[in-house]
């Protein structure tokens, strides 16, 4: 049996999916977290139940990328049943989507999630009446507490059925549907799509468009509007019947503070700065502890051991790779992810989007684009995928350029681990400043030259919530896994290869070749240029390889402050990593990917050379 | 057979045939009308006897000149009445359409002439392009969301604008919906509360939503 989770954005579909299948997908408190289909499965009474997590949508008749994806998914008829997840505190709007799903005629159940919040708000929903009104089973859950989640699969297995409701449409719409049904044999749902201009069948759409024109002339309203209004009215009727009490308790309005210019904007700046500072202070402390520990228990004994030369070179590369990877990258990345997860789960991101809307217009996008940009601080890959939430090609192109310039956590490792640790915290902050200025300049430039239309922001504000430590840790861990299980092995293999190369003498040859460029243009030793190239594989590898090539994690012993600064700056700007290039290619196509890559390479080298010229 | 049913039938025939420029099939006609097939058949027979319609090969129906005139007249009455009821009296479209359907059969031509003149005169600025500093067109006598302040309780009157309309509609921002203006920054970004949800809007979008104050 195959079932799909469908519902409005941010209602808890992914959290439920994780709990049902044990697969880990992103769960965050802002609309548009999930942008792809994700599959998983669970076993119930010896039967395999496949579950699909869908992106959140507001309507099945919309034209956005996710809405199209979900509609096509349902049209293909690949699921036996759907689970419509609703946010109990926003029942009326959620019912609007449920009504559309019901029209598909797929067996379904409804899950009324966020019961905990509903109770807190003093709302009460009469589930029995709701079941009666919809003609399907309704289950109350609170996914964040795991309440009733175990009942979902049994219920959908035995109780999923087609809804019995019919939405009463405007006379003219009903007449048009009847005409299409009679003349062309189109189904009700298909006729409704055709009237709204989104049907797949050519003849039906053609016939419908003539009727549509006429209805619109008569009503002075588009057919979409009429249909939407009818559905909203019906949803309201149902909501009014089932919402029993509504006692509003006026409380302290935190939102008032967060979304006003003052103190909202100072708070925004403070949040960003303090995030960086906390990552640096806590990260640096952990780094020192771990690096020292490695030195004492691994590297010093190794050197004292006196292995044969080849073995010693390789063992030493391995040991330093471990020291740099676990000791330096891990603490910064992990702490950064924890803070980012907290930020995401509070619902603050949508407030930041609102405050930044005007400023983002200047760089050719709107406030909603703040969300992928901030996500980019964690990792560019999901951020680029988050671009799907932007409506126009123009915004996506600008967004692609800007996101790949955002210093991701791996680059934060470089900035904090190299520049802040060995040069000073102020110089590290100037790197952020330079990157920020470059991003702004790029945005200003691109907004002038990129063709295409621009839409404004229409963004649902996520409710403010206290993040749950369990969920925060789980999400950070999920994101860290990629670092531990992909980056670390890559680093270890890379370091062994490097050790071998060094032993044979290839490294020396390469360095001789690249020396004129690295020393002449950037003013850094040739092995630093080699390390930079490793940064293309994974950003933080530039740093770790520098340590391996230099033979020590104490970088100030081998390079001057200026050299370290330039190295840091160039590797932050220079080329997105391969994973980012791959996802850019998939989402945006070859041309944009090539343009972004060339642009960042050029930018990195030019800025590096400039700094070298001025201060060198 | 009642006069109103015959008129409805002529109106429907006129509507369909004028848009397709060909004789009308029985099924097409019955899709437009809310009557049983037998009723429609007997009305058609009657209309044919009176010389308003003619049947062509295959049983399709064609309007004669007199039929065309009658049909056009009824349709015009319907549209004028409906326009008056929705635009001037603010009735919801569904109701207005039903009401127009009933009134159209009794109202005189003179009333309709005067009514349509009245409609045209009473909103002279409609659709005229304003010269405000926001290059956007503004409708005379209409206020966009940006004309109100924080805390106002509003009702959506109409919306303009292409691409984003769909998303607004799906969020429940449609004519007739009550919303409240929760936050308005100096740079004109706003937050409205609609159906228990807060929705943030860019200025250019807020400017395309016309509202009135709820009393
Ligand atoms: N209080 C409370 N919070 C919940 C509940 N279920 C989910 N959440 C929170 O709601 C937020 C959104 O959850 P997700 O699972 O990401 O929502 P989604 O439906 O997958 O959202 P999209 O992927 O954007 O469509 C997260 O911060 C969850 O922790 C619940 O029952 N109670
Ligand atoms: Mg999700």
């Amino acid at each position: 049996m195959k079932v799909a989770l469908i519902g409005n954005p941010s209602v808890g579909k992914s959290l439920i999916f994780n709990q049902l299948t044990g697969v880990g997908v992103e769960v965050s408190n802002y609309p548009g977290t999930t942008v792809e289909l994700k599959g998983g499965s669970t076993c119930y009474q010896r039967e395999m139940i496949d579950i699909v997590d869908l992106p959140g949508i507001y309507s099945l008749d919309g034209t956005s990328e996710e809405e199209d994806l979900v509609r096509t998914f349902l049209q293909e008829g690949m699921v036996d049943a759907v689970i419509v997840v609703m946010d109990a505190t926003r029942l009326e709007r959620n019912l609007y989507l449920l009504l559309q799903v019901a029209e598909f005629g797929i067996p379904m159940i409804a899950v009324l999630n966020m019961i905990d919040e509903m109770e807190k708000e003093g709302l009460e929903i009469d589930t029995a009446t709701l079941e009666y009104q919809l003609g399907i089973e309704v289950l109350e859950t609170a996914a964040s507490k795991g309440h009733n989640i175990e009942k979902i699969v049994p219920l959908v297995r035995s109780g999923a059925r087609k809804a019995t409701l019919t939405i009463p449409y405007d006379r003219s719409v009903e007449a048009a549907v009847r005409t299409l049904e009679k003349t062309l044999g189109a189904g009700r749902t298909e006729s409704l799509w055709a009237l709204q201009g989104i049907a797949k069948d050519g003849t039906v759409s053609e016939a419908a468009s003539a009727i549509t024109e006429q209805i619109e002339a008569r009503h002075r309203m588009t057919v979409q509007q009429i249909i939407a209004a009818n559905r909203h009215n019906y949803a309201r009727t149902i909501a009014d019947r089932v919402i029993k009490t509504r006692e509003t308790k006026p409380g302290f309005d935190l939102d008032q503070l967060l979304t006003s210019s003052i103190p909202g904007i100072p708070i925004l700046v403070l949040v960003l700065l303090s995030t960086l500072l906390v990552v640096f202070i806590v990260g640096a402390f952990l780094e020192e502890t771990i690096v020292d520990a490695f030195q004492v228990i691994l590297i010093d004994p190794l050197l004292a051991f006196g292995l044969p030369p080849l073995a010693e070179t390789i063992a030493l590369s391995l040991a330093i790779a471990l020291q740099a990877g676990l000791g330096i990258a891990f603490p910064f990345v992990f702490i950064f992810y924890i803070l980012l997860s907290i930020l995401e789960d509070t619902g603050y991101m949508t407030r930041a989007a609102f405050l930044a809307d005007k400023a983002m217009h200047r760089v050719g996008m709107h406030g909603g684009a703040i969300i992928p940009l901030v996500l980019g601080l964690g990792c560019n890959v999901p951020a680029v995928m988050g671009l799907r939430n932007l409506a126009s090609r123009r915004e996506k192109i600008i967004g692609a350029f800007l996101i790949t310039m955002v210093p991701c956590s791996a680059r934060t490792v470089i900035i904090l681990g190299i520049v802040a640790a060995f040069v000073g915290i102020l110089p590290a902050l100037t790197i952020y400043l330079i990157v920020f200025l470059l991003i702004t300049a790029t945005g200003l430039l691109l907004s002038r030259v990129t063709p295409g239309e621009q839409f404004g922001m229409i963004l649902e504000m996520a409710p403010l919530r206290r993040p749950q430590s369990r969920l925060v840790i789980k999400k950070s861990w999920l994101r860290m896994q990629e670092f531990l299980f992909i980056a670390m092995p890559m680093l270890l293999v890379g370091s062994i290869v490097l050790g071998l190369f060094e032993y044979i003498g290839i490294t020396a040859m390469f360095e001789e070749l690249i020396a004129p460029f690295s020393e002449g243009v950037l003013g850094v030793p040739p092995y630093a240029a080699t390390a930079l190239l490793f940064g293309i594989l994974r950003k933080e590898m530039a740093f770790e390889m520098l340590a391996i090539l230099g033979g020590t994690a104490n970088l100030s012993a081998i390079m001057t402050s200026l050299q370290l600064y330039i190295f840091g700056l160039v590797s932050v700007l220079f080329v997105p990593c391969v994973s980012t290039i791959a996802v850019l290619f998939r989402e945006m196509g070859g041309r944009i990917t090539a343009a972004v890559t060339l642009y960042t390479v050029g930018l990195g080298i030019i800025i590096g050379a400039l700094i070298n010229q001025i201060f060198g | 057979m009642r006069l109103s049913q015959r008129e409805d039938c002529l109106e429907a025939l006129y509507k369909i045939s004028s848009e397709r420029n060909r004789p009308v099939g029985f099924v097409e006609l019955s899709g437009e009308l809310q009557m049983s097939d037998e009723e429609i058949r007997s009305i058609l027979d009657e209309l044919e006897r009176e010389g308003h319609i003619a049947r062509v090969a295959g049983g399709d129906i064609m309007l004669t000149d007199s039929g065309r005139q009658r049909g056009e007249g009824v349709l015009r009455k319907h549209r004028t009445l409906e326009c008056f009821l929705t635009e001037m009296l603010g009735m919801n479209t569904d109701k207005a359409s039903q009401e127009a359907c009933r009134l159209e059969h009794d109202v005189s031509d003179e009333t309709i002439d005067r009514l349509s003149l009245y409609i045209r005169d009473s909103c002279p600025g409609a659709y005229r392009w304003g010269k405000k500093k926001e290059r956007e067109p503004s409708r005379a006598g209409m206020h966009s969301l940006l004309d109100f302040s924080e805390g106002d309780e509003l009702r959506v009157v109409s919306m303009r604008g292409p691409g984003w309309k769909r998303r607004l509609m799906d969020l429940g921002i449609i004519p007739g919906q009550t919303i409240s203006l929760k936050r308005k920054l100096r740079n004109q970004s706003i937050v409205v509360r609609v159906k228990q949800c807060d929705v943030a809007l860019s200025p250019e979008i807020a400017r395309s939503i016309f509202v009135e104050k709820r009393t």
Side-chain angles (χ1 to χ4, degrees):
Chain A
M1 186 181 190
K2 189 166 178 178
V3 297
L5 289 158
I6 190 170
N8 278 176
S10 295
V11 295
K13 298 178 295 299
S14 299
L15 189 55
I16 292 177
F17 175 82
N18 284 352
Q19 292 174 357
L20 291 180
T21 63
V23 176
V25 298
E26 292 263 322
V27 173
S28 288
N29 191 14
Y30 54 77
T33 315
T34 310
V35 291
E36 276 190 315
L37 305 181
K38 274 275 164 55
S41 59
T42 178
C43 223
Y44 175 66
Q45 293 184 343
R46 305 233 193 97
E47 187 195 352
M48 203 61 150
I49 312 263
D50 290 316
I51 301 176
V52 184
D53 183 25
L54 297 171
I57 51 170
Y58 290 108
S59 162
L60 275 173
D61 291 347
T63 45
S64 76
E65 222 168 300
E66 302 84 55
E67 287 164 338
D68 218 34
L69 182 83
V70 175
R71 179 168 58 240
T72 317
F73 178 81
L74 290 187
Q75 275 168 347
E76 279 166 2
M78 288 189 309
V79 286
D80 305 301
V82 293
I83 302 167
V84 180
V85 184
M86 297 194 281
D87 177 347
T89 62
R90 302 175 170 200
L91 183 66
E92 189 179 327
R93 230 265 321 286
N94 282 253
L95 278 171
Y96 173 80
L97 177 68
L98 183 136
L99 293 179
Q100 297 184 29
V101 179
E103 283 187 329
F104 257 86
I106 303 176
M108 59 199 257
I109 63 165
V111 166
L112 209 50
N113 196 27
M114 312 251 179
I115 285 299
D116 52 328
E117 302 227 319
M118 177 189 84
E119 281 163 2
K120 234 184 276 165
E121 283 183 24
L123 256 99
E124 203 178 321
I125 292 176
D126 178 355
T127 323
T129 312
L130 187 60
E131 282 182 339
Y132 174 75
Q133 291 284 335
L134 301 175
I136 55 171
E137 302 276 347
V138 178
L139 182 67
E140 294 190 349
T141 63
S144 56
K145 298 202 166 89
H147 173 67
N148 266 355
I149 298 298
E150 75 288 348
K151 294 192 185 151
I152 294 178
V153 171
L155 188 65
V156 76
R157 184 74 197 85
S158 60
R161 57 172 177 267
K162 294 180 184 172
T164 50
L165 54 94
T166 356
I167 306 166
Y169 288 110
D170 182 276
R171 255 188 75 236
S172 54
V173 174
E174 290 285 0
V177 169
R178 264 203 308 279
T179 309
L180 291 174
E181 280 173 348
K182 277 189 195 168
T183 53
L184 297 166
R188 187 178 169 87
T189 342
E190 200 190 352
S191 307
L192 286 169
W193 286 328
L195 289 171
Q196 301 184 74
I198 49 170
K200 294 247 153 91
D201 185 313
T203 40
V204 181
S205 341
E206 219 169 279
S209 73
I211 306 179
T212 305
E213 238 166 68
Q214 204 180 55
I215 298 179
E216 294 183 351
R218 193 174 344 145
H219 283 268
R220 303 270 198 101
M221 252 198 194
T222 61
V223 173
Q224 284 107 315
Q225 249 175 336
I226 301 173
I227 292 179
N230 297 147
R231 285 180 181 146
H232 277 303
N233 281 341
Y234 194 54
R236 168 156 51 212
T237 319
I238 298 179
D240 285 348
R241 273 184 205 148
V242 300
I243 297 181
K244 282 201 293 206
T245 44
R246 188 178 286 173
E247 28 169 307
T248 37
K249 301 174 196 155
F252 171 65
D253 191 6
L254 184 58
D255 226 6
Q256 174 77 45
L257 291 183
L258 295 181
T259 56
S260 312
S261 309
I262 308 283
I265 291 175
I267 291 179
L268 179 64
V269 175
L270 211 69
V271 165
L272 285 177
L273 276 184
S274 56
T275 306
L276 279 182
L277 282 179
V278 170
V279 172
F280 174 69
I281 293 168
V282 182
F285 171 74
L286 285 179
E287 173 193 343
E288 210 167 305
T289 323
I290 302 179
V291 167
D292 285 351
F294 264 101
Q295 194 71 33
V296 174
I297 57 171
L298 194 65
I299 295 181
D300 292 345
L302 193 76
L303 289 173
F305 203 75
L307 284 168
L310 174 61
E312 191 179 84
T313 320
I314 293 181
L316 197 61
S317 314
L318 260 179
I320 298 180
L322 270 179
Q323 186 188 28
L326 289 180
I328 304 173
F330 183 81
F332 286 122
V333 177
F334 194 54
I335 289 173
F336 191 81
Y337 274 142
I338 288 186
L339 292 184
L340 192 65
S341 303
I342 293 178
L343 208 58
E344 287 172 358
D345 284 5
T346 53
Y348 185 69
M349 299 272 261
T350 47
R351 271 83 189 163
F354 171 64
L355 289 176
D357 183 48
K358 189 72 184 192
M360 293 300 287
H361 272 74
R362 299 250 157 80
V363 295
M365 294 190 287
H366 61 71
I370 274 286
I371 294 176
L373 283 174
V374 173
L375 272 191
L377 285 171
C379 175
N380 286 180
V381 174
V384 170
M385 288 179 51
L387 283 176
R388 291 188 193 177
N389 288 314
L390 298 181
S392 73
R393 175 92 183 147
R394 172 185 148 92
E395 289 164 310
K396 285 181 196 179
I397 292 176
I398 300 179
F401 271 91
L402 301 196
I403 283 174
T404 44
M405 294 173 70
V406 170
C408 61
S409 60
R411 286 179 255 187
T412 304
V413 169
I414 296 177
I415 301 178
L416 297 183
I418 299 182
V419 183
F422 297 114
V423 186
I425 188 146
L426 272 181
L429 287 179
T430 61
I431 292 195
Y432 280 107
L433 189 69
I434 292 175
V435 171
F436 178 76
L437 291 177
L438 286 174
I439 290 179
T440 314
T442 309
L444 287 175
L445 179 77
L446 286 177
S447 69
R448 302 250 148 77
V449 300
T450 316
E453 49 187 342
Q454 178 174 350
F455 297 113
M457 170 180 66
I458 304 175
L459 183 71
E460 185 184 2
M461 300 281 243
L464 286 176
R465 282 203 189 99
R466 186 193 304 275
Q468 291 188 16
S469 47
R470 190 171 47 86
L471 292 178
V472 167
I473 300 280
K474 213 170 145 196
K475 179 156 62 169
S476 315
W477 178 242
L478 189 74
R479 290 169 170 175
M480 277 309 292
Q481 281 180 348
E482 131 101 5
F483 173 80
L484 285 180
F485 300 123
I486 297 177
M488 274 308 281
M490 215 153 108
L491 179 63
L492 294 180
V493 173
S495 65
I496 294 178
V497 173
L498 253 189
L500 272 177
F501 279 5
E502 202 170 323
Y503 186 75
I504 311 171
I506 295 185
T507 325
M509 261 165 59
F510 178 75
E511 283 172 2
E512 211 165 295
L513 271 179
I514 203 150
F517 169 75
S518 71
E519 281 169 354
V521 179
L522 298 179
V524 297
Y527 58 82
T530 317
L532 268 184
L533 288 184
F534 273 95
I536 302 176
L537 282 180
R538 287 196 49 101
K539 276 291 169 179
E540 79 275 5
M541 264 175 97
F543 170 24
E544 293 149 353
M545 285 299 164
L546 185 67
I548 295 169
L549 287 163
T552 171
N554 180 16
L555 296 175
S556 57
I558 50 170
M559 281 162 80
T560 66
S561 295
L562 181 65
Q563 285 176 328
L564 287 171
Y565 185 85
I566 293 178
F567 180 84
L569 185 58
V570 174
S571 55
V572 166
L573 290 173
F574 174 80
V575 190
C577 65
V578 276
S579 324
T580 309
I581 293 180
V583 74
L584 266 178
F585 186 75
R586 201 182 68 198
E587 301 284 315
M588 306 292 305
R591 278 182 41 209
I592 299 294
T593 311
V596 170
T597 311
L598 287 178
Y599 179 72
T600 45
V601 172
L603 206 60
I605 293 177
I606 290 174
I607 301 286
L610 263 180
I611 302 249
N612 184 36
Q613 280 300 314
I614 299 172
F615 300 101
Chain B
M1 209 42 61
R2 277 176 44 214
L3 173 76
S4 64
Q5 283 184 326
R6 282 168 37 199
E7 287 193 340
D8 279 342
C9 195
L10 282 171
E11 181 186 353
L13 280 169
Y14 175 75
K15 219 159 56 180
I16 303 172
S17 63
S18 64
E19 126 199 350
R20 306 207 187 151
N21 271 325
R22 59 172 172 75
V24 180
F26 184 80
V27 189
E28 284 174 291
L29 178 64
S30 73
E32 270 293 314
L33 293 168
Q34 304 216 307
M35 301 178 213
S36 71
D37 287 0
E38 290 82 71
E39 273 179 305
I40 298 176
R41 275 204 188 88
S42 77
I43 294 172
L44 286 176
D45 288 343
E46 211 171 308
L47 289 171
E48 191 173 9
R49 244 179 297 151
E50 289 170 4
H52 290 311
I53 62 167
R55 311 264 181 138
V56 296
D60 283 358
I61 307 142
M62 231 175 74
L63 284 169
T64 61
D65 282 345
S66 71
R68 187 177 310 276
Q69 235 168 28
R70 284 283 292 277
E72 187 182 1
V74 182
L75 187 62
R76 177 162 163 263
K77 285 178 180 173
H78 182 104
R79 292 204 172 140
T80 313
L81 284 166
E82 200 181 85
C83 178
F84 177 70
L85 293 172
T86 50
E87 303 272 305
M88 306 271 117
L89 304 187
M91 200 180 266
N92 92 33
T93 46
D94 214 14
K95 260 274 217 27
S97 176
Q98 282 171 21
E99 200 74 13
C101 255
R102 270 203 299 279
L103 294 173
E104 69 193 12
H105 307 295
D106 297 327
V107 71
S108 72
D109 286 340
E110 189 186 344
T111 311
I112 287 297
D113 285 343
R114 288 181 182 278
L115 199 56
S116 72
L117 249 155
Y118 173 74
I119 293 174
R120 226 181 23 234
D121 288 348
S122 53
C123 31
Y127 308 115
R128 194 187 292 154
W129 293 64
K131 279 208 187 90
K132 277 201 183 159
K133 71 169 191 287
E134 310 95 33
R135 312 183 318 276
E136 305 275 336
S138 84
R139 291 185 186 178
M142 299 270 246
H143 298 286
S144 86
L145 261 176
L146 294 183
D147 298 335
F148 295 86
S149 39
E150 259 175 43
D152 282 351
E153 299 287 321
L154 308 165
R155 178 181 289 107
V156 180
V157 175
S158 68
M159 285 137 69
R160 185 172 44 68
W164 55 70
K165 234 175 172 176
R166 178 82 234 183
R167 176 55 55 79
L168 288 177
M169 258 154 45
D170 290 330
L171 287 171
I173 303 180
I174 46 171
Q177 176 68 40
T178 55
I179 59 180
S180 54
L181 189 52
K182 251 194 92 174
R183 185 87 55 244
K184 182 174 167 193
L185 296 187
R186 276 239 298 287
N187 63 28
Q188 312 280 53
S189 295
I190 61 161
V191 176
V192 292
R193 191 167 183 81
V194 49
K195 294 183 187 287
Q196 300 165 279
C197 313
D198 289 343
V199 179
L201 302 174
S202 284
E204 68 268 32
I205 291 182
R207 197 175 292 133
S208 72
I209 302 172
F210 297 98
V211 291
E212 64 188 12
K213 207 157 197 162
R214 225 159 80 201
T215 40

